[in-house]
Amino acid sequence: DSGVTQTPKHLITATGQRVTLRCSPRSGDLSVYWYQQSLDQGLQFLIQYYNGEERAKGNILERFSAQQFPDLHSELNLSSLELGDSALYFCASSVAAGGHEQFFGPGTRLTVL
Amino acid sequence: AQSVTQLGSHVSVSEGALVLLRCNYSSSVPPYLFWYVQYPNQGLQLLLKYTTGATLVKGINGFEAEFKKSETSFHLTKPSAHMSDAAEYFCAVSGASGTYKYIFGTGTRLKVLA
C-alpha cells in the first residue's frame, strides 16, 4: 500500500459525458501527478500540482482539467468523453516538487462506451 | 528533450535464471532514473532509484541496476528469477526539465517459465 488513494476504482460512462477522478496523496506529500496509461500510448504524464499550484503540464487534452485543493487532495476532470479516453488513470505523489520518487495510487479504470 | 527506450517489450526467462531488462535514456542534464514494477490490476511500485552517488543501486526483491553514463543505460538485473517476478517493468527518467515529471519507457513484460 503506497498510501495514495484514488476513487473510484472503476468508472463506466458514455461518450460526451463528464467525470471526476479523485486522488488523496500520502500524508505530508505536497506534489501530485496525474498519468494516463493506455495500450496505444503507454504511460503518459498529464499534469503536476505542487502545494495547490500547477507546476507542469504534459500531454493533457484541453477537455481535461485538474486542481489541487487546500487539503492537498486533487481531482482530474475529464469532459466530452470519447472512446479513446478509455484508460487507466494514475495519481502519484511525492514529498517535494521534484527529484524524489513518486508513490503511485492503484488507479482508476475509465471505460467510455 | 528526455526520452527512455526499453529494449524488448516481452522477455521470458526460466525460473532461477538471470533477469536482464534493458533501459537506455536520453537527457541533456544529469538524470534521475527509476525502475517501477506493475503487477496485473495494480499500481506502480518503486523497485529502485538513482539520483546521485553510487552508480550501482540495489532495490527491493533482489533487483539492482547500474547507472552507466557513458552508455546512457540503466539496466535492471536480478541474479535468479522467481515466479513472483512475472510482471511489467517500467524505466523512468526525470530531472532535466525542472519539473521532475516522469518520462516512462514503454515497459517490458517479464514472463518466468517453470
Side-chain angles (χ1 to χ4, degrees), chain A residues 15-36:
Chain A
T15 54
Q17 294 298 305
R18 182 180 190 273
V19 297
T20 297
L21 313 183
R22 183 188 168 103
C23 167
S24 292
R26 292 188 322 155
S27 176
D29 284 359
L30 299 178
S31 202
V32 169
Y33 306 76
W34 285 97
Y35 293 87
Q36 179 193 60

Side-chain angles (χ1 to χ4, degrees), chain B:
Chain B
Q2 293 175 297
S3 67
V4 173
T5 301
Q6 289 185 242
L7 288 175
S9 58
H10 292 81
V11 170
S12 293
V13 298
S14 298
E15 193 174 18
L18 171 73
V19 175
L20 171 60
L21 304 182
R22 298 178 188 275
C23 173
N24 287 89
Y25 70 91
S26 171
S27 178
S28 58
V29 297
Y32 295 154
L33 293 159
F34 307 84
W35 275 100
Y36 280 82
V37 61
Q38 184 179 27
Y39 297 101
N41 301 313
Q42 292 188 27
L44 283 78
Q45 181 184 9
L46 180 68
L47 278 177
L48 48 79
K49 63 177 179 179
Y50 170 79
T51 54
T52 58
T55 55
L56 182 61
V57 180
K58 294 189 186 298
I60 62 170
N61 301 338
F63 284 95
E64 63 181 39
E66 187 171 9
F67 170 63
K68 291 188 177 180
K69 185 178 176 181
S70 60
E71 298 177 10
T72 60
S73 69
F74 191 57
H75 302 331
L76 182 71
T77 60
K78 182 173 179 178
S80 176
H82 192 270
M83 297 298 286
S84 61
D85 295 328
E88 188 148 24
Y89 293 79
F90 292 92
C91 181
V93 65
S94 78
S97 65
T99 67
Y100 304 104
K101 65 190 181 194
Y102 282 1
I103 303 298
F104 281 97
T106 50
T108 298
R109 188 168 297 278
L110 176 67
K111 188 174 180 179
V112 181
L113 307 170

